[in-house]
Amino acid sequence: MHLFDTDISVAANPQDGFQAAVSENWSINGNPNGGYLLAILASAMIGCSDKSATPILTVNYMSKTVPGPAEIAVETMNRSRQFTRLQARLIQSGTETARAFGTFAVAPEECDIRRYETGPPEFAPPERCIRIPAMPGYTVYEHMDIRLDPRCAGWMENRLSERSEQKGWLRFEDKRPFDVFAAALAADAFPPAVLASQGMVAWVPTLELSVSIRNTAETQWLKCRFSTRFINCGLLEEDGEIWDENNELIAVSRQIAQFRNLSP
């Protein structure tokens, strides 16, 4: 079993909920990655769902989650012939720290319409991109190989861009395949796009993350693009696209986050 599978596993408890152990292995600055937390909640929801295709996942982060034991309460909101909708609450020490909503569909026999009005991002091959190094407290980069296109990586040397955009390659260090849960992690694994234009002077805590998963990746590398267009009133959005090497769309995402300047 891959490390990520172990770290998102949930176990049913006698009260019809789930027990989980939030790991330190997928952290950003010592805090469990938001996409990783969504993957845990998705694991619990799929365990209760009679459908599993093309998940639409949304999570709200309400208070700090820390590595350690957690409970997950899952509730069915609606079941129809085509869709099942559930919600899952992550609870630590009696406090709800995150709540996710999931919509799961019946698997289609075939995809009748496949129309992409934009294509995957174009950037340098992996060997010419800049890998994000492992750093103390940023354990997600110990287990994921994330490489930025050189045109997006200037902020790492205080060379800022006019565009708030991060694009590049992503894969698991242990070559784990990408599924629903891994796509949730990938949607939040890159550095915030706003760092490309603002540099490492900001704190960007996520308030809400939505991931719409369209396909299962068939390649080890994923091609990713994340961009921010608007920063105002202390908030920003980050839109993401995730593709595989066959130029198949895997997922689209949107984050709403706070923008806080760390300067006094």
Side-chain angles (χ1 to χ4, degrees), residues 10 13 17-20 40-41 44 70-74 88-91:
V10 297
N13 66 34
F18 294 88
Q19 294 175 332
I40 296 176
L41 291 164
E71 298 177 2
I72 301 174
V74 179
R89 298 183 296 121
L90 183 67
I91 301 165

Side-chain angles (χ1 to χ4, degrees), residues 100-225:
F101 301 90
T103 298
F104 306 92
V106 174
E109 294 183 3
E110 60 180 334
C111 187
D112 295 331
I113 300 175
R114 189 179 300 271
R115 175 183 171 86
Y116 296 159
E117 296 190 1
T118 187
E122 296 183 0
F123 40 76
E127 61 272 16
R128 290 175 46 204
C129 288
I130 299 171
R131 181 169 180 173
I132 299 178
M135 299 169 282
Y138 290 76
T139 55
V140 68
Y141 300 129
E142 297 176 10
H143 305 293
M144 302 202 81
D145 185 348
I146 299 176
R147 305 187 188 190
L148 297 180
D149 182 84
R151 291 169 294 181
C152 299
W155 60 273
M156 299 174 71
E157 298 178 347
N158 204 31
R159 291 182 289 105
L160 303 184
S161 170
E162 294 184 356
R163 295 177 59 87
S164 298
E165 182 179 64
Q166 308 277 19
K167 57 184 180 179
W169 302 88
L170 177 149
R171 68 178 176 183
F172 279 98
E173 187 66 33
D174 63 3
K175 310 302 189 295
R176 182 193 185 276
F178 281 91
D179 56 8
V180 168
F181 312 115
L185 176 65
D188 192 39
F190 270 59
V194 72
L195 299 187
S197 65
Q198 303 300 308
M200 293 293 291
V201 296
W203 182 34
V204 193
T206 303
L207 302 176
E208 180 179 280
L209 170 64
S210 295
V211 185
S212 176
I213 298 168
R214 306 297 178 83
N215 291 289
T216 299
E218 296 183 354
T219 61
Q220 285 189 352
W221 283 110
L222 297 183
K223 299 190 287 187
C224 304
R225 172 169 53 201

